[in-house]
Amino acid sequence: NQHSSKFTALISAATPTLPPRDSNLNVVESKASNSQNGLETSTFTVCTRVRPLLGPELTAGNECYASVVPGRRTAQEGGCNYTEELLLHTPTVSIRGNAKLDTLSQDFDYVFGPDSTNEEIYDLACAPLVKRALNGQVGVIVAYGQTGSGKTHTMNGILDILSTSAIFSDLTDITFSYMEMLGREIKDCLPDAGNGTPKGIQIGEGLNGAVLIRNMKTHMVHDAAQLGTLIQRASATRATAVTSKNETSSRSHGVAILKVKNKKTSVEGTLYVIDLAGSESAKDSKDHDKNRMKETKEINSSLMVLKDCIRARTNAAGVGNNGIHVPYRSNKLTLLMKDVFDIGCSRLCSTVVIANCSPLVSDISHTKNTVKYAAPLRVAVASADRQKNLELDVFDPALWNNV
């Protein structure tokens, strides 16, 4: 393309130089403790991560360049709402033959650029959820995006860091399990060895409303090495397939479940780390056979149910929205996360959604779809300065951190 060099120059000029983030503000923790939420039990933080150019993309020439970049970080409306911006540049040519950019700007709670590390994402987005679990509450981290956008790399990195973090103590019992959801089939990725072909996992509700999981092995974990071994074993059994975008595309939803039980109080917290199957556009799936098309349809259908549940649960937190229905029973994945979506649940839950994006100009259409899926799930949080003036009930046990 004769305009490629001009496009890359325009994109470079439109990409701001970003200062370090405010170390006094963690959006996940702020949403959980912000009195603007009142006693809202379920909060959602929506992030995006843009992967770097990889391998052959670096040497592919003028047709392969990045057009999705982080934008500005701002505290809007006099310091009320902290946001980070994602810029999606679509190259176009004017009627006079001049190169120009059609730019879409979208706000998120965090935007992690191509230079970001798994350690950075863990510290900002996952560590507060681990704290939730250690305090007997519920934390959920979900990665969503196009196949080949870096979801599994992000989530495996988070699990690796988690396995070496300070979660083990004499006061807690920790268990770990891992399942994959492939269409309507749910398989245990960590079954007992030597017991033949394991039965499929079943997820349902008991008479008391509690979520029941049958045929899933739960492993008691005593140290970081044991947890790391289980994580590696589970990751190796995930269903993958070759797609037009990724030679090892995850074709199932991978769900890691870490439960932490206090030995003295018997209070149990839960951390879910969910690596969703890669979404595919019509262009990506045009060469699929009948079975693969059915698989892709089921993946996209379950992703839509998850989106509907998050949107409905977020809207239900607003004043006067008591009649909103959250359809979490429509899918086994959302049923598993009942504590997050059930409006009547008293457990405190924090959910982080990471929308993983390809930076490539050739993927800009699919990246826009990813952003359109994720961005509406976001509810802004007050900035650090504004929070100093918020009224918090220090006598409310729901807001204690047990430190």
Side-chain angles (χ1 to χ4, degrees):
N1 188 311
Q2 59 179 329
H3 295 291
S4 294
S5 60
K6 296 179 181 179
F7 288 139
T8 55
L10 289 172
I11 292 170
S12 178
T15 303
T17 300
L18 298 176
R21 290 186 176 90
D22 182 357
S23 60
N24 295 320
L25 174 65
N26 183 288
V27 175
V28 182
E29 292 183 340
S30 297
K31 288 196 174 190
S33 61
N34 193 337
S35 68
Q36 285 185 336
N37 293 326
L39 291 180
E40 178 53 38
T41 59
S42 192
T43 58
F44 297 88
T45 303
V46 184
C47 316
T48 185
R49 185 183 195 183
V50 183
R51 68 164 176 82
L53 296 179
L54 302 172
E57 298 168 354
L58 296 170
T59 57
N62 292 334
E63 297 296 326
C64 191
Y65 55 91
S67 67
V68 181
V69 296
R72 300 187 183 280
R73 300 167 184 162
T74 59
Q76 300 173 343
E77 299 178 9
C80 290
N81 298 322
Y82 177 79
T83 60
E84 297 191 5
E85 181 183 43
L86 182 70
L87 301 176
L88 300 95
H89 300 296
T90 303
T92 61
V93 179
S94 70
I95 194 171
R96 295 186 177 182
N98 297 322
K100 64 177 185 177
L101 299 177
D102 181 8
T103 300
L104 171 66
S105 170
Q106 189 64 62
D107 290 336
F108 288 88
D109 293 306
Y110 285 124
V111 173
F112 299 104
D115 296 329
S116 63
T117 64
N118 287 334
E119 288 76 13
E120 177 187 0
I121 294 174
Y122 181 89
D123 290 341
L124 289 175
C126 191
L129 306 183
V130 176
K131 185 188 297 184
R132 276 270 196 221
L134 292 173
N135 288 332
Q137 301 157 11
V138 178
V140 183
I141 186 163
V142 180
Y144 163 80
Q146 177 187 11
T147 181
S149 60
K151 298 181 307 301
T152 300
H153 169 76
T154 299
M155 302 312 268
N156 285 349
I158 286 173
L159 285 172
D160 290 342
I161 298 170
L162 175 66
S163 68
T164 59
S165 63
I167 59 174
F168 298 97
S169 75
D170 295 334
L171 300 177
T172 57
D173 286 328
I174 295 180
T175 61
F176 182 78
S177 50
Y178 198 108
M179 70 175 75
E180 69 169 350
M181 299 181 174
L182 183 59
R184 298 186 179 182
E185 298 180 5
I186 309 176
K187 185 182 79 172
D188 189 354
C189 291
L190 294 171
D192 278 333
N195 288 344
T197 303
K199 297 181 179 179
I201 293 176
Q202 296 180 335
I203 301 175
E205 287 183 277
L207 295 176
N208 62 352
V211 175
L212 302 177
I213 304 175
R214 294 189 174 92
N215 304 327
M216 183 180 72
K217 175 65 176 178
T218 299
H219 298 263
M220 185 69 69
V221 182
H222 302 287
D223 53 45
Q226 185 181 4
L227 179 57
T229 299
L230 290 172
I231 290 172
Q232 290 180 1
R233 179 181 157 198
S235 298
T237 62
R238 287 282 303 279
T240 62
V242 176
T243 69
S244 62
K245 288 293 181 183
N246 189 359
E247 293 185 356
T248 56
S249 174
S250 298
R251 307 311 299 157
S252 64
H253 303 318
V255 183
I257 306 174
L258 186 81
K259 290 186 177 291
V260 183
K261 185 175 183 179
N262 188 298
K263 294 180 181 179
K264 292 184 178 180
T265 64
S266 296
V267 174
E268 186 176 70
T270 306
L271 176 68
Y272 298 95
V273 180
I274 303 174
D275 177 16
L276 297 175
S279 62
E280 290 186 293
S281 65
K283 179 179 70 173
D284 297 334
S285 58
K286 66 182 186 306
D287 296 325
H288 289 353
D289 59 23
K290 182 178 179 180
N291 290 333
R292 287 290 302 282
M293 286 298 295
K294 179 181 178 182
E295 176 186 287
T296 299
K297 182 179 178 180
E298 290 178 341
I299 289 172
N300 291 338
S301 175
S302 65
L303 294 175
M304 290 303 296
V305 172
L306 177 62
K307 178 189 71 174
D308 291 342
C309 287
I310 295 178
R311 283 182 174 176
R313 185 64 185 88
T314 302
N315 291 333
V319 177
N321 294 336
N322 296 332
I324 291 180
H325 171 64
V326 183
Y328 61 85
R329 292 186 177 92
S330 300
N331 183 271
K332 294 300 183 182
L333 175 63
T334 49
L335 177 59
L336 178 67
M337 300 164 60
K338 179 181 177 180
D339 285 346
V340 173
F341 297 122
D342 187 357
I343 298 174
C345 179
S346 60
R347 298 185 75 184
L348 293 182
C349 307
S350 290
T351 301
V352 172
V353 178
I354 300 178
N356 291 80
C357 298
S358 164
L360 295 174
V361 65
S362 58
D363 290 332
I364 191 68
S365 178
H366 201 143
T367 300
K368 285 183 177 179
N369 289 335
T370 298
V371 169
K372 289 177 181 178
Y373 176 102
L377 309 178
R378 176 182 174 272
V379 176
V381 67
S383 67
D385 292 338
R386 175 67 178 270
Q387 288 178 54
K388 295 177 182 177
N389 299 321
L390 295 176
E391 181 181 353
L392 297 175
D393 184 0
V394 296
F395 298 105
D396 180 8
L399 301 178
W400 295 352
N401 60 17
N402 295 338
V403 175

